[in-house]
Amino acid sequence: MSDNKRGGRWHGQWAVVTGASAGIGRAFADQLAAEGTNLFLTARRLDRLNEIADWLRTQRGIEVETCAADLADPAGPKRVFEATQARGIRPALVVNNAGFGLYGEFHKADYERLLEMVQVNCSAVMALTHLYLRGMVERRSGDILIVSSTAAFQSVPYHSAYAATKGFDLLFAEGIAEEVKRYGVRVCALCPGNTESEFHQMAGEPTDVPLQRQTAEEVARIGLDAIAGGKHTAICGFGNLVGMEIQRLLPRRLVSGVSGRIFRPKK
Ligand SMILES: NC(=O)c1ccc[n+]([C@@H]2O[C@H](COP(=O)([O-])OP(=O)(O)OC[C@H]3O[C@@H](n4cnc5c(N)ncnc54)[C@H](OP(=O)(O)O)[C@@H]3O)[C@@H](O)[C@H]2O)c1
């Protein structure tokens, strides 16, 4: 029996982490490395990935490979997959973490950028899952973690398209999880709430949104524990969990309205 099945963890095996150059992805890399997991790290900023890789090799004594890939490019996921194949890496865990948001009124957004967001947050997640899942099913072993969001549970005005991409991730992950569990493959959707990372600045959010933030480290730990524990969905933090459960009972329009008031631009 593999370590994966015995301990629920990935010691001595390989994990692919997308979006590993910052935020939650970097925290996944740190925590997996601390558990002795070898890492294949990808993002666009190769200089950052290589810095992280050097540090993890020295401090954790694991193997780390890096690969620059733009997941907004439809060829990006295959490039990542082929790079792992070329290095003989058959990952026991794939963390689909890369993603970004675009804050503001939808009609004012740059349409090309919106399409890139759909590509990175949805199409690349689906492509990477498709590319790695077949081998996992054949091996009757493997784990895929898909980073969705609490934004997946309701509309989020001024993050409307972003919330919809995360809704895709949640439903996709939950469906696949059910399909492949009979092959010994685990899939889990991780739903962080507001989390400390570069996300908010990259999305162009105002700095005064009145929401508490979890740390990226906490979110990554919850995600790894969830998939190792065989969960299909994990909402990060008790407050977020309660919030998601309560809003299911409320009229949808009321929930959108509250969300809209939180995110409405001040000027
Ligand atoms: N922070 C939050 O409040 C929050 C809440 C819920 C869900 N999430 C989700 O958590 C995930 C990680 O976000 P984060 O908060 O850690 O944000 P972050 O600090 O901005 O990190 C985003 C990561 O995604 C990578 N990325 C972005 N665009 C990419 C592209 N075109 N191709 C390849 N990689 C790309 C970035 O790397 P490069 O720039 O180097 O390419 C970076 O490593 C995302 O899926 C996000 O939707 C975040």
Side-chain angles (χ1 to χ4, degrees), residues 8-12 29-37 60 62 224-225:
R9 295 288 184 173
W10 308 272
H11 180 88
D30 285 340
Q31 291 181 28
L32 286 163
E35 295 183 12
T37 312
R60 303 296 185 197
I62 55 158
L224 295 177
D225 287 350

Side-chain angles (χ1 to χ4, degrees), residues 41 49-50 94 113 151 159 166 169 176 201:
L41 305 179
L49 289 179
N50 285 337
V94 174
R113 194 74 185 126
H159 266 305
K166 292 291 149 176
D169 289 337
I176 302 290
Q201 195 190 347

Side-chain angles (χ1 to χ4, degrees), residues 91-110:
L93 170 68
V94 174
V95 183
N96 277 297
N97 164 77
F100 69 94
L102 285 174
Y103 171 79
E105 290 177 88
F106 175 75
H107 69 275
K108 292 182 182 168
D110 178 276

Side-chain angles (χ1 to χ4, degrees), residues 18-26 28 42-49 69-73 96-101 113 116 120-121 147-151 162 165-166 169 190-200 202 205 213 216 219:
T18 71
S21 62
I24 299 170
R26 159 115 211 216
F28 276 122
T42 180
R44 290 166 303 180
R45 288 171 287 183
L46 189 59
D47 51 339
R48 280 218 200 177
L49 289 179
D70 183 355
L71 296 177
D73 175 353
N96 277 297
N97 164 77
F100 69 94
R113 194 74 185 126
E116 286 181 6
V120 174
N121 294 7
V147 181
S148 173
S149 170
T150 52
Y162 170 73
T165 67
K166 292 291 149 176
D169 289 337
L190 177 66
C191 301
N194 215 19
T195 306
E196 289 166 9
S197 74
E198 296 173 11
F199 175 90
H200 309 279
M202 300 300 256
E205 272 181 13
R213 291 190 179 159
V219 166

Side-chain angles (χ1 to χ4, degrees), residues 26-138:
R26 159 115 211 216
F28 276 122
D30 285 340
Q31 291 181 28
L32 286 163
E35 295 183 12
T37 312
N38 298 318
L39 293 170
F40 185 94
L41 305 179
T42 180
R44 290 166 303 180
R45 288 171 287 183
L46 189 59
D47 51 339
R48 280 218 200 177
L49 289 179
N50 285 337
E51 247 175 62
I52 294 166
D54 285 345
W55 193 87
L56 293 175
R57 280 189 206 105
T58 319
Q59 299 297 317
R60 303 296 185 197
I62 55 158
E63 291 182 62
V64 189
E65 298 280 344
T66 59
C67 168
D70 183 355
L71 296 177
D73 175 353
K78 193 137 188 256
R79 186 172 170 187
V80 171
F81 179 72
E82 284 174 351
T84 54
Q85 296 278 97
R87 292 172 218 191
I89 293 169
R90 290 191 307 181
L93 170 68
V94 174
V95 183
N96 277 297
N97 164 77
F100 69 94
L102 285 174
Y103 171 79
E105 290 177 88
F106 175 75
H107 69 275
K108 292 182 182 168
D110 178 276
Y111 195 69
E112 288 305 312
R113 194 74 185 126
L114 286 165
L115 287 179
E116 286 181 6
M117 183 174 68
V118 172
Q119 185 70 39
V120 174
N121 294 7
C122 304
S123 304
V125 171
M126 190 167 69
L128 284 166
T129 302
H130 194 253
L131 287 162
Y132 285 109
L133 198 54
R134 280 195 189 168
M136 290 180 173
V137 167
E138 275 167 24

